[in-house]
Amino acid sequence: MSPSPEPVFPEYETDTSQTSKLMKKFKETPFVPVGMAGFIAVVGYGLYKLKHRGDMKMSLHLIHMRVAAQGFVVGAITCGVLYSMFRDYVGKPKE
């Protein structure tokens, strides 16, 4: 038995902070934070408008806000996938 075993996944054993890992992930997939921010914005706007919804039922208002938030997230994911495909297949020179 050796006193110090080698790490199985050395890329996960680096001494980096959580912030640097998060920034690296955001640079790899830039549309994830856009989707998260859009979701939070739609939910915040929905909560703000909840007070001034008029005679609309609460359940109908919540359904509309849920659909809007999900639509924003799905749109951000779609843009991210398209951006990733463009970067990998079109922007990358052929070898």
Side-chain angles (χ1 to χ4, degrees):
M1 294 272 164
S2 63
S4 61
E6 293 183 20
V8 178
F9 298 109
E11 62 270 7
Y12 293 110
E13 297 292 326
T14 60
D15 293 328
T16 58
S17 66
Q18 291 294 330
T19 306
S20 64
K21 288 181 185 178
L22 188 64
M23 292 307 292
K24 179 182 174 189
K25 190 59 95 169
F26 282 170
K27 286 179 183 176
E28 290 174 2
T29 55
F31 287 95
V32 171
V34 171
M36 289 170 35
F39 177 80
I40 290 170
V42 168
V43 169
Y45 179 73
L47 289 175
Y48 174 74
K49 293 300 279 184
L50 185 65
K51 191 174 187 179
H52 308 290
R53 70 182 186 275
D55 60 350
M56 185 186 297
K57 289 184 178 180
M58 170 84 83
S59 62
L60 187 61
H61 178 74
L62 293 176
I63 287 171
H64 287 168
M65 289 301 108
R66 183 196 65 147
V67 168
Q70 285 178 334
F72 195 91
V73 170
V74 168
I77 290 171
T78 303
C79 289
V81 167
L82 292 174
Y83 172 74
S84 176
M85 288 174 62
F86 176 79
R87 186 179 60 194
D88 290 344
Y89 296 112
V90 177
K92 191 177 188 180
K94 304 259 184 202
E95 294 181 15

